[in-house]
């Protein structure tokens, strides 16, 4: 939600509407959606290469460490899927179109703000790692945030202008004036605080002739928010003479905000004001408009959801969700963030929105490659509850879902058939009761991978490698050898980081792992400033991320038969793009890995897991060329294929000198357990 022009208006009048705060020793309710967008877009992170998730994770960690240092207890509340009315669909489609334009701008060297595809999942993983309390609401979170903040008498941290309308007891702190990077100490003590500004609803009402604060929800819906945008309201605004009051010259850009607030301040209550609004409309439209306005104003009232029960007892009760008759395990998994809003939208609305990345706009959207995975997800979500049968999407043909996707530089709604799943998977309420082996079979069959292929792969990388095998098998990907090599080298960052920062540091003197990690970090840093984007390479990695995202969502829906990968060090866009360039010019895989035998061995196992799935052309040496440069590249590729593509003796994974050994031992035990089952 958000009210057009309101946030910039109140910030222009900061002295009148805000007070300075020294925030410490308190609970704070955080709008999770607003926070991860703020940290993503205001931390000098690279946005063109599909996400430097390690850098983003570091920023998130530092943010919460600042809060902990000030004895602030953060409670993060995340939006879920769209509610059953789907009243924000028009707004969501408009935003999808805007995102396409920004992604295109970024792809050709311009500016723009597009969140990398897996940013939300990375954010949740960091929250879990730091043990930050969080909840994912069933639908939009704003009312639940307001209700919890008032129950606990603590401030809200967000950038959503709707919090200027909610009647918050302790106020609303905008993220852009929350100086978490600039902690100060309380004079005469060693106690830290974070400087912040707190919005005062009473000050706003006082500024406008002590207007009744109950009028503000009507102001929000008249001004236009994400839930309502009636063209007929333009008729009201064109006819009514909005008094600007004592507006300064810079207030001209806030003509509507100023005029509406001044006009509404003349009425005693919302009923009187609403009657006066309707006078300006044709009689035939009045009743319908009144109903729509009243319904939209309810979005600013107290929520029935008691999030304090979730944070204190682990119970999440949402009347809207209960009325839909969804399985209990699904509601619990959604609240814990173990299922994504994508699943909720598909389940409740049979409609999903596929988000555009910084990809090649002249090619089909990157999500096309993961359609078979989504069709299995949709197949699992059919026939859930009788209550869902009478919903707005019942006009869809049976067994189908609709997807809002990019076509060229605009959006289109496509109808997609769900794929029939095995009979024992048809009942969503009993899906968790299936054996691990049955759930794993469906996951691997969807990804077109045999379990034996993953036997030599560490547990934490099994799902990414299975997804990469799926990706390689699809002709849409058009991946080349150097793309695969760059991806696999990037996947080494997690194990290398764990080894360097692990408890056993007796090897760190002249340690090859540290040298390799630092060399890869250097390549990542070199990629960033002003490097031209290779659109074809960007599109190929966007396709891989779409496969990974949908593979993760299917894995979550099946209650994680494979361990969920640590995304924070699995993919760094700047690194893999930089590696692609280096592998085509001056660097070979074996020269990089020569400094760390353990990493070389892990790479070999990952590479050999892929061999059976890679198109023959990907592994073949390139044709002859008169170009010396091409001959050099060909020799490098052949060396890489011949030397690093060999299968090592698996026994050396268990040697004491191999610090990747524990990963493989754990992996083997898990595999044996699943075979026994």
């Amino acid at each position: 939600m958000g009210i057009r022009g309101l946030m910039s208006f109140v910030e222009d009048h900061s002295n009148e509407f805000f007070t300075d705060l020294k925030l410490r020793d308190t609970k704070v309710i955080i709008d999770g959606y607003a926070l991860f967008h703020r940290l993503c877009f205001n931390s000098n992170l690279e946005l063109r290469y599909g996400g430097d998730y390690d850098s983003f994770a570091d920023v998130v960690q530092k943010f919460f460490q600042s809060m902990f240092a000030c004895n602030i207890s953060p409670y993060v509340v995340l939006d879920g899927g769209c509610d059953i009315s789907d009243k924000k669909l028009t707004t969501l489609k408009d935003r999808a179109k805007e995102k396409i334009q920004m992604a295109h701008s970024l792809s050709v060297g311009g500016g723009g703000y597009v969140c990398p595809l897996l940013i939300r999942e990375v954010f949740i993983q960091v929250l879990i790692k730091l043990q930050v309390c969080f909840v994912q609401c069933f639908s939009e979170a704003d009312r639940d945030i307001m209700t919890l903040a008032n129950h606990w008498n603590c401030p809200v941290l967000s950038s959503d202008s709707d919090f200027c309308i909610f009647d918050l007891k302790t106020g609303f702190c905008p993220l852009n004036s929350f100086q978490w990077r600039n902690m100060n100490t309380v004079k005469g003590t060693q106690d830290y605080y974070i400087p912040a500004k707190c919005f005062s609803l009473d000050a706003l009402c006082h500024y406008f002739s002590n207007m009744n604060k109950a009028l503000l929800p009507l102001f929000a819906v008249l001004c236009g928010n994400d839930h309502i945008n009636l063209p007929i309201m333009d008729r009201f605004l064109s006819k009514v003479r909005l008094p600007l009051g004592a507006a300064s010259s810079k207030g001209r850009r806030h003509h509507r905000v100023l005029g509406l607030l001044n006009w509404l301040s003349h009425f005693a209550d919302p009923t009187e004001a609403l009657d006066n609004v309707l006078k300006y409309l044709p009689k035939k439209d009045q009743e319908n408009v009144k109903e729509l306005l009243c319904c939209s104003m309810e979005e600013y009232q107290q929520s029935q959801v008691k999030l304090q029960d979730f944070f204190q007892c682990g119970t999440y009760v949402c009347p809207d969700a209960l009325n839909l008759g969804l399985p209990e395990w699904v509601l619990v998994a959604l609240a814990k963030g173990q299922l994504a809003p994508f699943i909720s939208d598909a389940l409740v609305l049979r409609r999903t929105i596929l988000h555009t990345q910084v990809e090649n706009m002249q090619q089909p959207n990157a999500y096309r490659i993961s359609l078979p995975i989504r069709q299995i997800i949709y197949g699992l979500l059919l026939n859930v509850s009788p209550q869902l049968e009478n919903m707005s999407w019942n006009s869809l043909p049976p067994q189908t879902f609709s997807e809002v996707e990019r076509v060229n530089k605009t959006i289109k709604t496509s109808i997609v058939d769900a794929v029939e799943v095995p009979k024992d998977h048809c009942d969503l309420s009993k899906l968790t009761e299936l054996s691990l082996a049955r759930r794993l079979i469906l996951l691997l069959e969807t990804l077109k991978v045999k379990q034996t292929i993953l036997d030599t792969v560490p547990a934490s990388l099994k799902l990414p490698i299975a997804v990469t095998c799926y990706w390689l098998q699809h002709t849409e990907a058009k991946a080349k050898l150097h793309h695969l090599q760059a991806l696999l080298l990037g996947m080494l960052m997690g194990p290398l980081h764990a080894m360097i920062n692990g408890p056993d540091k007796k090897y760190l003197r002249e340690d090859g792992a540290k040298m390799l990690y630092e060399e890869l970090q250097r390549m990542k840093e070199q990629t960033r400033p002003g490097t031209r984007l290779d659109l074809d390479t960007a599109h190929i990695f966007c396709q891989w991320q779409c496969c990974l995202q949908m593979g993760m969502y299917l894995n979550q829906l099946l209650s994680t038969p494979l361990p969920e990968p640590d995304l924070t060090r699995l993919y760094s866009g700047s690194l893999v793009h930089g590696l692609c360039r280096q592998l085509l010019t001056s660097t070979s895989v074996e020269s990089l890995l020569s400094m760390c035998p353990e990493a070389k061995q892990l790479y070999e196992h990952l590479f050999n897991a892929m061999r059976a799935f890679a198109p023959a052309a990907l592994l073949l040496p390139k044709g002859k060329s008169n170009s010396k440069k091409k001959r050099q590249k060909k020799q490098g590729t052949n060396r890489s294929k011949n030397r690093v593509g060999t299968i090592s003796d698996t026994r050396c994974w268990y040697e004491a000198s191999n610090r990747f050994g524990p990963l493989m031992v754990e992996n083997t035990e898990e595999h044996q357990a699943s075979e026994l089952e």
Side-chain angles (χ1 to χ4, degrees):
M1 290 166 74
I3 299 144
R4 297 179 193 96
L6 180 58
M7 203 69 202
S8 58
F9 169 73
V10 296
E11 287 174 346
D12 278 357
H13 295 76
S14 179
N15 292 337
E16 288 96 339
F17 303 146
F18 288 90
T19 55
D20 290 329
L21 274 188
K22 296 178 178 179
L23 213 60
R24 60 167 288 103
D25 301 324
T26 182
K27 292 175 179 172
V28 172
I29 314 303
I30 300 176
D31 177 349
Y33 179 88
L35 177 60
F36 74 71
H37 277 79
R38 175 83 187 172
L39 296 181
C40 180
F41 295 150
N42 291 271
S43 303
N44 196 31
L45 300 180
E46 176 57 64
L47 299 176
R48 295 181 301 155
Y49 298 114
D52 286 349
Y53 295 123
D54 52 348
S55 302
F56 174 72
D58 290 344
V59 171
V60 176
Q61 183 160 329
K62 287 172 185 172
F63 175 87
F64 285 105
Q65 284 171 342
S66 293
M67 299 196 93
F68 299 150
C70 300
N71 197 31
I72 296 171
S73 301
Y75 290 82
V76 177
V77 184
L78 289 156
D79 290 322
C82 299
D83 73 12
I84 196 67
S85 72
D86 210 15
K87 54 183 171 278
K88 280 186 70 172
L89 181 58
T90 301
T91 299
L92 292 172
K93 284 183 174 180
D94 288 342
R95 286 183 183 165
K97 291 174 187 173
E98 290 169 9
K99 187 179 285 188
I100 289 170
Q101 297 308 315
M102 282 197 278
H104 173 65
S105 173
L106 285 165
S107 73
V108 295
Y113 296 98
V114 176
C115 268
L117 191 65
L118 301 172
I119 206 86
R120 192 179 194 280
E121 282 71 28
V122 172
F123 181 67
I124 288 175
Q125 287 189 352
V126 178
L127 295 181
I128 292 169
K129 178 185 173 187
L130 297 177
Q131 298 183 311
V132 173
C133 296
F134 76 95
V135 65
Q136 180 174 275
C137 296
F138 185 68
S139 55
E140 190 154 349
D142 290 4
R143 289 173 67 196
D144 297 347
I145 290 172
M146 178 266 288
T147 305
L148 178 63
N150 281 343
H151 178 80
W152 278 345
N153 206 26
C154 63
V156 168
L157 191 59
S158 178
S159 53
D160 190 334
S161 56
D162 277 302
F163 289 103
C164 296
I165 303 298
F166 287 119
D167 190 4
L168 292 161
K169 293 178 183 176
T170 316
F172 152 53
C173 298
L175 276 163
N176 62 356
S177 54
F178 186 72
Q179 300 178 52
W180 63 273
R181 289 184 171 98
N182 188 30
M183 289 187 298
N184 291 329
T185 51
V186 179
K187 195 171 182 180
T189 73
Q190 293 184 325
D191 297 333
Y192 287 103
Y193 69 86
I194 296 175
K197 289 187 180 295
C198 187
F199 174 77
S200 167
L201 188 66
D202 290 333
L204 178 72
C205 291
H206 177 74
Y207 186 84
F208 289 97
S209 309
N210 290 313
M211 73 183 291
N212 182 352
K213 63 175 71 171
L215 288 160
L216 290 173
L218 179 58
F219 156 75
V221 298
L222 290 176
C223 203
N225 63 17
D226 290 351
H227 284 170
I228 188 165
N229 185 20
L230 293 174
I232 200 166
M233 295 317 299
D234 290 333
R235 179 168 181 164
F236 156 72
L237 292 166
S238 67
K239 286 195 169 189
V240 67
R241 296 188 63 184
L242 297 178
L244 290 180
S248 63
S249 58
K250 71 177 178 180
R252 290 186 183 279
R253 68 191 178 104
H254 300 123
H255 180 283
R256 179 180 288 199
V257 171
L258 269 169
L260 277 172
L261 287 170
N262 274 309
W263 186 76
L264 287 168
S265 69
H266 293 101
F267 303 108
D269 55 46
T271 304
E272 182 188 353
L274 186 54
D275 288 341
N276 276 273
V277 170
L278 298 174
K279 285 178 186 177
Y280 292 92
L281 305 180
K283 279 198 172 182
K284 63 181 178 67
D285 296 321
Q286 288 182 6
E287 202 56 41
N288 187 36
V289 170
K290 181 178 182 179
E291 186 180 337
L292 284 168
L293 291 176
C294 289
C295 183
S296 296
M297 287 163 64
E298 286 176 11
E299 296 296 330
Y300 295 94
Q301 303 307 310
Q302 183 112 335
S303 166
Q304 292 179 283
V305 178
K306 297 178 179 177
L307 289 183
Q308 64 269 22
D309 291 346
F310 178 82
F311 288 124
Q312 291 166 350
C313 316
T315 56
Y316 178 84
V317 179
C318 172
D320 289 344
L322 290 176
N323 292 338
L324 296 173
L326 301 177
E328 176 66 20
W329 79 265
V330 171
L331 296 178
V332 171
L334 285 169
K336 291 181 176 180
Q338 294 165 353
L339 289 176
F342 176 91
I343 299 296
S344 175
D345 284 347
L347 190 57
V348 175
L349 300 169
R350 269 183 37 197
R351 192 264 300 135
T352 57
I353 296 177
L354 307 179
H355 297 289
T356 301
Q357 302 173 76
V358 181
E359 55 193 75
N360 190 336
M361 300 294 164
Q362 295 179 340
Q363 292 191 30
N365 76 74
Y367 266 107
R368 290 286 179 90
I369 193 172
S370 62
L371 175 59
I373 306 176
R374 297 199 302 280
Q375 288 177 300
I376 293 292
I377 291 173
Y378 298 153
L380 291 167
L381 300 178
L382 286 171
N383 311 316
V384 175
S385 89
Q387 290 93 320
L388 287 173
E389 292 303 317
N390 300 317
M391 295 299 136
S392 58
W393 43 252
N394 61 11
S395 58
L396 281 172
Q399 316 289 308
T400 63
F401 289 70
S402 66
E403 295 183 334
V404 179
E405 61 175 347
R406 177 187 69 79
V407 175
N408 297 321
K409 292 182 196 170
T410 187
I411 60 169
K412 174 189 173 186
T413 301
S414 304
I415 304 300
V416 172
D417 291 320
V419 166
E420 188 176 346
V421 295
K423 284 187 178 179
D424 57 350
H425 292 71
C426 284
D427 187 347
L428 187 64
S429 64
K430 295 180 180 176
L431 193 57
T432 53
E433 298 171 15
L434 287 176
S435 69
L436 171 66
R438 290 291 298 137
R439 288 180 279 120
L440 182 59
I441 286 169
L442 179 60
L443 175 65
L444 295 182
E445 283 182 351
T446 303
L447 298 177
K448 302 177 183 176
V449 176
K450 291 183 180 177
Q451 188 172 346
T452 52
I453 293 294
L454 302 176
D455 285 350
T456 58
V457 175
S460 61
L461 291 176
K462 282 184 183 293
L463 183 60
I465 292 300
V467 163
T468 308
C469 291
Y470 170 93
W471 170 73
L472 283 173
Q473 293 175 74
H474 284 75
T475 54
E476 299 104 310
K478 297 178 182 174
K480 303 288 192 299
L481 179 61
H482 64 282
H483 295 130
L484 176 59
Q485 291 172 326
L487 263 182
L488 297 183
L489 288 168
M491 288 183 195
L492 299 181
M493 291 296 275
L496 287 169
H497 184 267
M499 185 159 57
I500 293 166
N501 295 284
D504 186 3
K505 298 193 177 182
K506 63 183 179 181
Y507 296 103
L508 283 186
R509 195 168 296 170
E510 298 180 349
D511 189 11
K514 191 171 184 182
M515 287 170 60
L516 176 57
Y517 187 83
E518 288 173 352
E519 176 63 16
L520 292 174
Q521 284 284 29
R522 186 185 63 78
M523 283 190 179
K524 174 189 164 186
E525 293 304 317
Q526 280 184 339
T527 307
R528 294 190 61 185
T531 314
R532 181 179 165 275
L533 181 66
D534 181 331
L535 267 183
D536 289 335
T537 293
H539 201 81
I540 286 165
F541 288 137
C542 285
Q543 290 172 318
W544 180 82
Q545 283 209 67
C546 289
C547 295
L548 180 61
Q549 184 191 50
M550 289 303 151
M552 283 184 64
Y553 289 173
L554 177 58
N555 190 50
Q556 290 170 349
L557 190 56
L558 294 169
S559 301
T560 58
L562 289 180
E564 188 150 303
D566 178 4
L567 297 173
T568 61
R569 304 205 181 269
L570 182 71
Y571 177 88
S572 167
S574 294
L575 173 60
V576 295
H577 277 259
L579 280 165
C580 278
R581 273 187 283 272
Q582 294 285 337
L583 290 168
L584 283 174
T585 53
S586 58
T587 305
S588 65
V589 174
E590 67 275 6
S591 65
L592 265 177
L593 297 180
S594 62
M595 60 185 83
C596 181
E598 297 94 343
K600 179 174 183 283
Q601 188 181 40
L602 175 56
Y603 175 91
E604 288 176 0
H605 280 268
L606 300 183
F607 187 90
N608 283 306
M610 305 286 158
R611 262 188 186 280
F613 301 95
L618 184 141
L619 297 173
L620 287 174
K622 294 181 182 177
K624 294 180 180 179
S625 167
N626 294 326
S627 161
K628 180 180 177 183
K629 186 176 179 181
K630 285 187 177 179
R631 283 202 304 274
Q632 287 174 339
K633 278 197 287 185
K634 174 184 170 183
Q635 290 164 4
T637 304
N638 288 338
R639 283 199 304 270
S640 172
K641 171 178 165 289
N642 294 333
R643 290 175 56 188
V644 186
T646 57
I647 298 175
S648 300
D649 183 353
T650 309
R651 285 173 300 176
C652 60
W653 286 90
Y654 310 111
E655 293 174 4
S657 62
N658 179 11
R659 274 127 45 221
F660 284 113
L663 286 173
M664 295 308 299
V665 173
E666 172 197 356
N667 173 53
T668 305
E669 288 171 351
E670 282 186 11
H671 174 57
Q672 289 169 343
S674 69
E675 281 190 326
L676 285 170
E677 182 174 326

